[in-house]
Amino acid sequence: MAKQYDYLLLGGGTSCGYAAAAIRDRDKNGSIGIVSADNQPPYDRPPLSKGFLKNPDLSLSDIHSKDESFYPDNGIELHLGVRCEALDRSAKSARLSDGSEVSYGKLLYALGSTPRRLDYPGSQNAVVLRTGADGESLRAKAPAAKSVVIVGAGYIGSEVSATLRAVDVEVTLLELGDSVMPGLPSKPTRAAVRDELERLGVHVQEGDTVVEADSTLVTCRSGRVISADLVLHAVGVKPNVELGSSAGLEVGNWGIRADSTLKTPDPSIWVAGDIAEYAEPITGRDYHAEHHLHAKWTGEHVGACMAGDAREYRKVPYFFSDVGRLSIILRGWPELADRSFVLGNLEEPAFSEVFVKNDGRVIGFVDVREDYKAQDPICDLFERLIGEGADLSSRLRDLENPSFDVLSLA
């Protein structure tokens, strides 16, 4: 007989951990099951590219989203090391890779994404960084490597480059685009990150990638040959939509489609985290994001909705990254802006960039500095301004002054 759950959470990542907590806060008795291909309970991924990577004393239990006692204490059952292989939405059941079947009343689809891998002769030996096991493997291999080549200079590639330099590993960072962090819509921030990486001793090479590799050498498209004992692919991810698509859930341009509450057209299924492509109510556009806080916040939101507290998901996006001494925070949707204003000191660096629409509405914000504590009040201010759609038309002349104090916008 199939195991029955009132709430079945598929994926087992950050979203599932926080969704389970939100459910239990509101429903003290409903049965909850979490299914994860990982052999760990839900954990927070940001340390994998930073503190966990350089500190051999940290274990995966140190980055768990919840204490291990949380799950048994709250009657939450974990199915670890198993995958969901099929969904039957009409029967409201899931077939797992261990041969068992579970049924559900409500389901969270939070299967996340899978790192992309480049295809070239020797690419099968490259590593990626997504799971805790990936983090343990990279941490074990890096100290013995004389030189590491990292392909892709986005968040993960830049963070890992800086972290490996902190433990004296030689690093070459290749980016096929024309700058590090190519997806970040802030030219000053991209420049600051590149400067910091070079200060740390990372060899940054834009406009180049790997075309061939063996156990000791990497050949680049430019013809450059680099000595490397280890290659890391950090070239983005692809959403794990196949299970949902096979079950008849709607797949959008990125992930599984949902409304502004994060519910799919199937009234029993919600989405959260990387996989969610939803009707974002502040901008009126379809949106998805790949970041820790998005996974946490959407998980908390969906857990509340599943337990009966249904409402729109209205959160101003929050991305953060640490590269060397730099703390980088992004709020909102700067990619939708028509113009921006840079305030502060680019050389230090300690600056903010404010992004506005042609009608004066503030739509995004980026802040870069070493003093991360100074970012909190600025970040909170712009969360409010962006969420309100504040009109800064009367302050544009002020914003043209690099010495203008953004906190005065309060």
Side-chain angles (χ1 to χ4, degrees):
M1 184 176 178
K3 177 75 176 182
Q4 296 183 338
Y5 291 108
D6 296 312
Y7 307 95
L8 180 62
L9 315 181
L10 298 182
T14 302
S15 292
C16 288
Y18 287 98
I23 291 169
R24 187 55 80 225
D25 283 345
R26 295 161 175 81
D27 184 342
K28 303 301 183 183
N29 300 311
S31 55
I32 303 173
I34 297 178
V35 174
S36 175
D38 208 309
N39 61 8
Q40 295 284 327
Y43 51 87
D44 298 340
R45 299 183 192 275
L48 294 177
S49 58
K50 298 183 279 287
F52 181 86
L53 185 56
K54 65 183 178 183
N55 186 350
D57 294 329
L58 287 179
S59 68
L60 290 178
S61 62
D62 292 315
I63 64 172
H64 285 172
S65 302
K66 303 291 181 182
D67 291 338
E68 290 187 29
S69 61
F70 168 79
Y71 301 99
D73 287 352
N74 286 279
I76 299 166
E77 297 186 13
L78 299 174
H79 298 260
L80 302 180
V82 295
R83 298 178 182 275
C84 180
E85 294 187 333
L87 278 179
D88 184 336
R89 294 197 294 128
S90 60
K92 300 180 75 171
S93 68
R95 188 179 75 245
L96 307 185
S97 60
D98 62 2
S100 64
E101 186 171 302
V102 294
S103 62
Y104 62 86
K106 298 175 182 178
L107 181 137
L108 168 59
Y109 189 110
L111 292 177
S113 52
T114 299
R116 296 184 183 275
R117 290 178 176 268
L118 298 175
D119 184 16
Y120 53 79
S123 63
Q124 72 276 7
N125 297 318
V127 299
V128 295
L129 181 58
R130 175 70 180 178
T131 67
D134 294 336
E136 289 182 317
S137 177
L138 180 59
R139 185 172 66 180
K141 292 176 179 177
K146 295 179 181 178
S147 178
V148 174
V149 169
I150 298 177
V151 190
Y155 285 105
I156 296 297
S158 297
E159 290 173 359
V160 172
S161 294
T163 302
L164 291 182
R165 285 301 300 140
V167 292
D168 295 322
V169 175
E170 192 77 6
V171 178
T172 298
L173 178 61
L174 302 177
E175 170 53 50
L176 187 57
D178 60 5
S179 73
V180 301
M181 291 197 170
L184 188 65
S186 170
K187 186 176 180 179
T189 303
R190 297 196 301 268
V193 171
R194 192 187 201 286
D195 288 347
E196 177 66 5
L197 290 169
E198 291 190 326
R199 186 190 70 83
L200 293 169
V202 177
H203 305 292
V204 180
Q205 182 64 50
E206 286 119 339
D208 212 353
T209 189
V210 177
V211 294
E212 187 175 352
D214 59 26
S215 60
T216 59
L217 295 175
V218 165
T219 302
C220 300
R221 192 175 69 172
S222 64
R224 182 183 181 191
V225 178
I226 305 169
S227 174
D229 306 296
L230 183 65
V231 177
L232 170 71
H233 288 172
V235 291
V237 295
K238 55 183 178 180
N240 296 323
V241 299
E242 294 81 6
L243 178 68
S245 178
S246 296
L249 294 176
E250 183 180 356
V251 178
N253 294 323
W254 168 262
I256 302 296
R257 294 291 302 272
D259 63 16
S260 60
T261 71
L262 304 184
K263 182 190 286 187
T264 72
D266 184 320
S268 300
I269 299 179
W270 285 257
V271 292
D274 289 9
I275 201 71
E277 182 177 333
Y278 66 99
E280 201 291 307
I282 298 175
T283 62
R285 300 165 64 101
D286 287 345
Y287 183 69
H288 84 275
E290 305 145 44
H291 198 273
H292 168 70
L293 286 178
H294 180 74
K296 176 184 177 180
W297 289 347
T298 54
E300 290 173 334
H301 174 86
V302 164
C305 288
M306 294 174 78
D309 187 9
R311 60 195 186 282
E312 283 191 326
Y313 179 71
R314 298 182 66 90
K315 275 281 193 180
V316 176
Y318 188 139
F319 294 80
F320 65 85
S321 180
D322 298 304
V323 178
R325 60 181 178 167
L326 298 184
S327 175
I328 303 159
I329 291 179
L330 181 154
R331 299 306 308 257
W333 302 267
E335 69 276 8
L336 301 181
D338 297 305
R339 61 186 301 195
S340 68
F341 303 86
V342 179
L343 310 166
N345 187 332
L346 294 176
E347 300 299 322
E348 190 174 344
F351 65 87
S352 303
E353 188 168 5
V354 180
F355 295 80
V356 300
K357 301 289 288 180
N358 280 332
D359 61 7
R361 283 181 299 122
V362 60
I363 194 70
F365 171 78
V366 174
D367 191 84
V368 179
R369 66 189 68 233
E370 186 174 354
D371 182 6
Y372 65 92
K373 292 182 179 179
Q375 293 177 311
D376 289 342
I378 310 173
C379 182
D380 292 343
L381 169 62
F382 276 89
E383 177 179 30
R384 177 176 64 80
L385 293 176
I386 295 168
E388 294 173 349
D391 184 354
L392 300 184
S393 298
S394 64
R395 308 301 298 271
L396 297 185
R397 186 177 295 275
D398 293 327
L399 291 172
E400 291 173 349
N401 177 5
S403 300
F404 177 67
D405 179 6
V406 292
L407 287 174
S408 68
L409 293 172

